[in-house]
Amino acid sequence: MELSLAGRRALVTGAGKGIGRSTVQALHAAGAQVVAVSRTQADLDSLVRECPGVEPVCVDLGDWEATDRALGGVGPVDLLVNNAAVALLQPFLEVTKEACDTSFDVNLRAVIQVSQIVARGLIARGAPGSIVNVSSQASQRALTNHSVYCSTKGALDMLTKVMALELGPHQIRVNALNPTVVMTPMGQANWSDPQKAKTMLDRIPLGKFAEVENVVDTILFLLSDRSSMTTGSTVPVDGGFLAT
């Protein structure tokens, strides 16, 4: 399926590692011009070496003022992937103010801020666009010790719908992607215990976790005009987890 992403300018947050890094690599390979946002300079340096022409931006998206300075003049962006997120796991009775603030600042508030910057630019140019918010199956199912993380992702799903509602008249589509556990280096490390993995795999009809390319392929589809009639959706990439 030809996605026709060549010549488009895309911005990807959380671009240093995992899903974000693989998304940048795939967009670059498809001929898109990519702005890669990460808080870790070393990750950006190695990414630029791998993908010459990628534009690196190093900023902590949890800092509103720094983000405004870093991205306020980013220029025209056609496609946005809001991927940056933190997962601070605590039992409910031990949830801290710091975990709440950091999680909502990065997982929700930064999505609002970066999306505002991109959407205002699209509207000013009279250009159509596509925004993909990387959510999680945890937005729709309760997981032990994930009270804050589940809450941020549940909020992100609803934000996606309201953004789609308000930005649709400007021909800006907004969708969320809801993966299960993904076999990034972090996912492999966090789910390497066979007993822990079994408790989750037993709830997934396909009996396996997602590979990074499963997620990236869906992101690229949602960014492309091949999904031109899809907006306000939460798209599971979960092996059937949310069907159970």
Side-chain angles (χ1 to χ4, degrees):
M1 184 186 291
E2 176 54 53
L3 297 179
S4 303
L5 296 171
R8 313 288 289 278
R9 191 158 183 255
L11 189 153
V12 180
T13 70
K17 297 181 176 71
I19 294 168
R21 189 182 187 96
S22 295
T23 300
V24 171
Q25 293 166 336
L27 285 166
H28 180 261
Q33 186 180 355
V34 188
V35 179
V37 180
S38 172
R39 63 183 177 182
T40 308
Q41 187 65 52
D43 289 341
L44 289 172
D45 292 343
S46 63
L47 182 58
V48 170
R49 286 194 295 271
E50 290 175 27
C51 302
V54 165
E55 305 169 50
V57 177
C58 189
V59 65
D60 178 0
L61 294 175
D63 183 332
W64 183 281
E65 290 73 23
T67 300
D68 193 50
R69 288 192 298 270
L71 295 178
V74 72
V77 173
D78 305 298
L79 312 170
L80 171 60
V81 181
N82 286 305
N83 169 71
V86 296
L88 305 176
L89 308 187
Q90 299 169 324
F92 170 71
L93 292 176
E94 298 171 21
V95 167
T96 62
K97 176 182 183 294
E98 291 73 24
C100 283
D101 290 348
T102 300
S103 298
F104 276 94
D105 286 355
V106 176
N107 296 7
L108 190 73
R109 195 184 71 183
V111 173
I112 294 172
Q113 184 182 17
V114 177
S115 298
Q116 285 177 337
I117 292 169
V118 170
R120 285 170 181 154
L122 287 166
I123 292 166
R125 288 189 288 135
S130 179
I131 298 172
V132 176
N133 297 328
V134 180
S135 184
S136 169
Q137 66 183 18
S139 70
Q140 300 175 43
R141 294 292 185 276
L143 302 173
T144 303
N145 296 338
H146 286 63
S147 54
V148 175
Y149 183 76
C150 286
S151 298
T152 64
K153 294 302 188 178
L156 181 59
D157 281 4
M158 186 49 71
L159 174 66
T160 299
K161 295 178 186 296
V162 179
M163 288 171 62
L165 180 67
E166 296 192 18
L167 298 178
H170 301 286
Q171 301 307 305
I172 300 169
R173 298 184 298 108
V174 189
N175 292 287
L177 182 80
N178 301 68
T180 184
V181 174
V182 183
M183 288 291 95
T184 60
M186 185 175 72
Q188 290 171 353
N190 289 346
W191 294 86
S192 58
D193 175 12
Q195 193 55 47
K196 178 182 177 183
K198 185 178 186 303
T199 60
M200 181 64 74
L201 290 168
D202 284 348
R203 299 172 67 182
I204 298 175
L206 290 183
K208 59 186 178 182
F209 293 138
E211 298 297 332
V212 178
E213 56 265 29
N214 301 143
V215 178
V216 173
D217 286 349
T218 308
I219 291 173
L220 264 56
F221 169 70
L222 291 172
L223 290 176
S224 80
D225 292 340
R226 290 289 184 170
S227 61
S228 60
M229 212 37 205
T230 303
T231 193
S233 296
T234 52
V235 181
V237 182
D238 67 349
F241 177 88
L242 291 175
T244 63

